[in-house]
Amino acid sequence: MAVLTKQQSASSHWYRSNGTACHRLPRVGGGGLRPTTIRDARRLGLLPSVTSILSVLAKPQLDKWKMQQVALASMRLKRAAGESDDYLCKRIIEEAFVQVEQAADLGSQIHEALEKHFEGVPVPEELQVYTQPVLDWQEQKQVEFIERELCVVNRDHGFAGTMDVACRYGKNGIGVLDFKTRKTKPGVAVTPYDGQAMQIAAYGATYWGEDQLPRLFGANIYISTTEPGRMEVCRYTPEQLLREWEIFKMTCAIWRHIKAYDPRKKLGEDIPPKSSDSQYSLGIPA
C-alpha cells in the first residue's frame, strides 16, 4: 500500500553571513526547492538560527505534549482493512499534528497583520480581535518599536536569527519583544516554554550588545488563538536575561560539538564588525 504524506517543513533555519535567509535550496536537476541541510551549511558556511541552536536541548514540556497528541490521534483513527503497521503509524502521526499546521497558519496571519499595520496597511477585520490588544498595550506602555523583523548575525558565537521587535521605552529603556501565538484555556496562566527567554537574550545580546544586557528588558507577547482578545505579556528582567545569555552561549558550544561544525571558522569578510566586538546586526541604530 502506498503511503501518501504531506511534505514536512524544515526543522532548521539557516542564514548566510550577510544576514539573508537560506532555509531552502534548489533541487539538483530542478524540480523546486528543498530544505537546507547541515551538509549544505558546512559547504556554504551558513549560520544556524537561534531556534536551531536551541533544538539540541531536551524540551520535556514539548515532548510530553507530542506524545499526548499521538495517543489521542491513535484513538480517533481506525485501522483500514489490510493496512500495515507502518502505514497506520504514519497516518496517526500526520493526524496528530494537523492542528499544528492550522495553528501555524493562523499565527503567521496574525504576525503578518501586525507587521503590515506598522507599515500603514489596515489589519483585516477578522484578525483585529487578535492584533488590537497588542496595539492597545503598546500605546498604553508607550513602547517605541524601532526595528521590526530584523535579521541579526552574531559572529562571536556563530548564529543568526530574525528578531520580531527591538524597542525603546521611557527615558533610557531598551528591550526586545517576541510575538507568540498560543492556545490558551480560560483561567489558566500563560507561561513561557523552554528556551523562549534564551531566544530573547540571544537577540538582545546581538542587537544591543552584551555590554547593554544589564539594562535590557525583554518580553514574550502571547496572543491567544483559542480565546480571541486575550493577550498576556511575560517580562524578563535584565538579571534573568544575563543568566539566559550565559546558558545560550554554552548551548552554542554544545550545538557545534554535536553537529561537528563551527560556522565561525567559515565566516567571510563581507560583514564588518559592529565595533570592537564581532557582533553585528543589520540596521542597528547609533
Side-chain angles (χ1 to χ4, degrees):
M1 182 181 292
V3 179
L4 300 177
T5 58
K6 296 181 182 178
Q7 180 180 353
Q8 299 300 312
S9 59
S11 59
S12 297
H13 283 171
W14 301 93
Y15 293 85
R16 299 186 187 278
S17 61
N18 63 3
T20 57
C22 188
H23 308 327
R24 304 179 74 82
L25 290 169
R27 295 183 184 277
V28 176
L33 301 175
R34 60 170 177 79
T36 302
T37 67
I38 183 70
R39 183 176 179 180
D40 298 319
R42 293 190 184 103
R43 175 171 56 87
L44 299 173
L46 303 179
L47 296 159
S49 68
V50 172
T51 51
S52 294
I53 295 288
L54 293 173
S55 70
V56 301
L57 298 178
K59 298 178 177 61
Q61 289 175 296
L62 179 60
D63 292 339
K64 179 180 178 181
W65 180 84
K66 286 180 178 179
M67 289 189 289
Q68 289 174 335
Q69 301 315 302
V70 172
L72 291 170
S74 71
M75 292 186 282
R76 292 195 298 268
L77 295 182
K78 303 297 182 183
R79 185 192 293 268
E83 186 174 27
S84 68
D85 290 346
D86 184 63
Y87 189 96
L88 177 60
C89 287
K90 286 183 170 63
R91 282 206 303 124
I92 289 172
I93 292 171
E94 184 171 325
E95 166 70 16
F97 300 111
V98 165
Q99 61 177 307
V100 176
E101 296 180 13
Q102 295 170 343
D105 288 343
L106 177 56
S108 296
Q109 292 176 39
I110 294 170
H111 202 107
E112 182 179 7
L114 281 168
E115 178 61 21
K116 293 294 185 182
H117 164 80
F118 294 115
E119 295 175 359
V121 179
V123 174
E125 184 176 353
E126 67 273 15
L127 296 177
Q128 290 177 9
V129 68
Y130 303 107
T131 60
Q132 194 58 49
V134 177
L135 305 179
D136 292 342
W137 174 83
Q138 181 198 10
E139 182 178 2
Q140 178 187 1
K141 298 298 184 179
Q142 297 185 326
V143 178
E144 177 189 4
F145 290 9
I146 59 173
E147 296 278 7
R148 305 183 312 275
E149 289 296 307
L150 183 72
C151 178
V152 294
V153 175
N154 191 301
R155 299 169 70 84
D156 276 343
H157 301 286
F159 66 86
T162 302
M163 176 180 60
D164 281 352
V165 174
C167 63
R168 296 185 188 275
Y169 59 95
K171 291 184 178 180
N172 300 304
I174 59 174
V176 170
L177 306 178
D178 192 69
F179 299 120
K180 303 287 187 188
T181 50
R182 178 78 71 87
K183 288 186 175 182
T184 60
K185 295 180 180 179
V188 179
V190 178
T191 57
Y193 289 154
D194 298 327
Q196 291 184 340
M198 265 193 275
Q199 185 178 23
I200 288 179
Y203 292 147
T206 304
Y207 181 81
W208 294 104
E210 288 191 58
D211 60 326
Q212 297 300 312
L213 284 177
R215 70 186 189 98
L216 177 76
F217 281 84
N220 282 122
I221 311 296
Y222 294 109
I223 303 168
S224 175
T225 57
T226 50
E227 298 177 83
R230 179 179 177 182
M231 184 209 76
E232 293 200 22
V233 179
C234 179
R235 295 187 66 193
Y236 307 106
T237 65
E239 292 75 20
Q240 287 175 295
L241 293 178
L242 277 166
R243 291 195 299 269
E244 296 293 330
W245 172 237
E246 292 303 317
I247 296 170
F248 183 78
K249 287 189 289 185
M250 290 186 280
T251 307
C252 287
I254 294 171
W255 185 94
R256 294 192 296 267
H257 174 74
I258 290 175
K259 302 299 182 181
Y261 171 52
D262 189 343
R264 300 172 300 176
K265 296 178 180 178
K266 301 279 286 187
L267 288 174
E269 301 300 326
D270 53 326
I271 299 181
K274 183 179 68 178
S275 58
S276 58
D277 63 26
S278 58
Q279 298 174 35
Y280 179 81
S281 65
L282 306 179
I284 190 167

